[in-house]
């Protein structure tokens, strides 16, 4: 059962927006797009990386690949910082869990105490299997200001970029190469690491890395006389199977993954690794070191 499946419970959180095609504001033509991996509440490292890449608001556009929150110490501050610099963001699985908690707490659980909700958890009566009162998502959901929550809730699952970057698509977990962008499953897109016999899986131990399948298919179709590969100048029909370059996060266990067609930016910041930026144009990398805030076995 995926984290958004409720097992018959009557409460269902709102579905995230699956896909957004971003456009630059009229008169805006950013010098650079700066993509940043999973921050997980590490505000000091976020600020340090922006300094490292010499971010200039109004000249650069920051794009975050999801999981702004949870695990690290300063989730609220990370959301506020991202909002203040007008970052573009896709929804990560930890962002999504906070959003579902907030909607539940403001809906059927409104007025319940923490003890009441713990009793629901103990009796297996919370609406989602990944709801744990003892985990930080519960606290973040309560603490987010209205405007900060609305910002977090607005993140789409998949983001396409404007000209001249239309060959790139942003997602937190990955994409299923057998489906068009508009036919992807939002839960899978936020959680997948591999493609197994039964389709996308969050496990690294079942099947093959999704990005290896993606690369293999791109190599095949690039040799076809009429190639569906997307280019920086192409008009793309996202209801059909296209093959874009992908920037993603989520897969801390594998660490930084920079390949020809896919760029995986989760370099284990919250586990004491690095926080990494990938910069267009030029495909440059930059990073800052991080503090180990959590046990690396908690890699979800």
């Amino acid at each position: 059962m995926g984290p958004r499946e409720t097992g018959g419970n009557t409460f269902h959180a709102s579905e995230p927006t699956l896909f957004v095609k971003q456009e630059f504001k009229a008169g805006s033509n950013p010098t650079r797009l700066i993509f940043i991996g999973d921050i997980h509440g590490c505000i000091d490292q976020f600020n340090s990386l922006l300094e490292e890449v010499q971010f200039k608001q109004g000249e650069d556009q920051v794009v975050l690949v999801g999981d702004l929150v949870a695990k690290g110490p300063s989730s609220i501050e990370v959301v506020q910082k991202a909002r203040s610099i007008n970052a573009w963001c896709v929804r990560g699985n930890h962002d999504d869990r906070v959003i579902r908690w907030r909607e539940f707490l403001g809906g059927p659980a409104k007025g319940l105490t923490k003890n009441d909700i713990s009793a629901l958890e103990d009796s297996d009566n919370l609406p989602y299997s990944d709801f744990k009162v003892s985990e930080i998502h519960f606290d973040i959901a309560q603490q987010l200001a209205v405007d900060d929550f609305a910002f977090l809730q607005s993140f789409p699952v998949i983001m396409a970029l404007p000209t001249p970057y239309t060959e790139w698509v942003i997602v937190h977990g990955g994409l299923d190469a057998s489906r068009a962008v508009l036919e992807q499953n939002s839960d899978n897109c936020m959680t997948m690491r591999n493609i197994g016999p039964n389709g996308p899986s969050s496990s690294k131990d079942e099947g093959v890395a999704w990005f290896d399948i993606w690369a293999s298919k791109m190599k095949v179709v690039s040799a076809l006389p009429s190639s569906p590969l997307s280019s920086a100048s192409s008009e793309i029909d996202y209801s059909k199977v296209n093959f874009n370059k992908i920037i993603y996060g989520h897969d801390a266990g594998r660490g930084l993954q920079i390949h020809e067609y896919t760029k995986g930016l989760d370099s284990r910041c919250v586990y004491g690794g690095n926080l990494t930026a990938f910069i267009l144009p030029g495909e440059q990398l930059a990073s800052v070191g991080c503090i180990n805030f959590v046990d690396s076995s908690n890699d979800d």
Side-chain angles (χ1 to χ4, degrees):
M1 183 181 295
R4 275 194 156 262
E5 296 180 64
T6 61
N9 195 285
T10 55
F11 172 76
H12 296 269
S14 60
E15 285 296 314
T17 299
L18 176 64
F19 173 80
V20 163
K21 171 71 184 302
Q22 286 286 9
E23 299 293 347
F24 296 128
K25 292 181 180 179
S28 170
N29 187 19
T31 303
R32 300 180 300 171
L33 267 58
I34 302 170
F35 303 87
I36 297 178
D38 302 38
I39 301 171
H40 278 302
C42 298
I43 186 62
D44 291 340
Q45 289 72 27
F46 186 21
N47 287 328
S48 294
L49 185 56
L50 293 175
E51 292 177 10
E52 177 69 20
V53 300
Q54 299 180 9
F55 165 71
K56 295 181 175 62
Q57 189 158 352
E59 297 181 23
D60 299 319
Q61 177 64 55
V62 168
V63 185
L64 305 181
V65 302
D67 278 2
L68 281 67
V69 302
K71 299 189 178 183
S74 306
S75 292
I76 306 298
E77 290 85 347
V78 168
V79 173
Q80 291 172 340
K81 179 69 176 184
R83 185 170 161 235
S84 74
I85 62 173
N86 299 314
W88 293 348
C89 313
V90 293
R91 186 182 294 203
N93 55 307
H94 288 275
D95 308 321
D96 185 67
R97 195 187 310 179
V98 168
I99 291 164
R100 286 183 281 118
W101 259 124
R102 175 68 166 244
E103 292 185 3
F104 177 64
L105 293 171
K110 189 172 183 179
L112 296 185
T113 67
K114 187 173 183 177
N115 286 339
D116 293 332
I117 297 168
S118 294
L120 292 176
E121 180 183 343
D122 292 341
S123 58
D124 293 326
N125 278 304
L126 285 177
Y128 292 99
S129 60
D130 61 352
F131 273 16
K132 309 293 181 187
V133 174
S134 60
E135 294 182 351
I136 197 170
H137 309 78
F138 175 79
D139 298 322
I140 297 167
Q142 293 180 301
Q143 294 165 8
L144 278 167
V146 171
D147 289 345
D148 293 332
F149 173 69
F151 174 68
L152 190 73
Q153 193 179 37
S154 72
F155 299 172
V157 175
I158 305 168
M159 180 189 300
L161 298 177
T163 304
Y165 304 104
T166 53
E167 63 187 317
W168 297 92
V169 166
I170 320 304
V171 67
H172 179 64
L175 294 179
D176 181 348
S178 69
R179 292 172 173 258
V181 164
L182 295 181
E183 295 176 351
Q184 298 283 326
N185 175 280
S186 60
D187 194 12
N188 288 339
C189 288
M190 289 186 283
T191 60
M192 79 168 73
R193 294 184 176 95
N194 280 19
I195 305 288
N198 299 314
S201 171
S202 62
S203 172
K204 297 188 291 292
D205 303 321
E206 177 185 19
V208 179
W210 73 267
F211 51 82
D212 286 338
I213 297 173
W214 191 268
S216 296
K217 289 207 170 187
M218 287 193 75
K219 289 173 184 176
V220 170
V221 299
S222 64
L224 298 176
S226 179
S227 172
L229 288 177
S230 302
S231 67
S233 59
S234 61
E235 287 293 326
I236 301 171
D237 182 353
Y238 292 99
S239 67
K240 298 179 180 179
V241 175
N242 292 285
F243 292 93
N244 303 71
K245 295 179 180 179
I246 311 297
I247 301 172
Y248 67 100
H250 184 57
D251 202 346
R254 290 186 171 112
L256 187 67
Q257 294 283 317
I258 303 299
H259 303 293
E260 183 177 2
Y261 302 114
T262 58
K263 317 295 179 183
L265 302 185
D266 189 342
S267 48
R268 304 180 60 78
C269 174
V270 77
Y271 303 110
N274 296 311
L275 184 62
T276 297
F278 174 76
I279 302 169
L280 293 174
E283 300 198 16
Q284 299 172 322
L285 291 170
S287 65
V288 295
C290 301
I291 298 170
N292 186 355
F293 288 107
V294 294
D295 182 352
S296 61
S297 66
N298 183 25
D299 176 15
D300 61 349

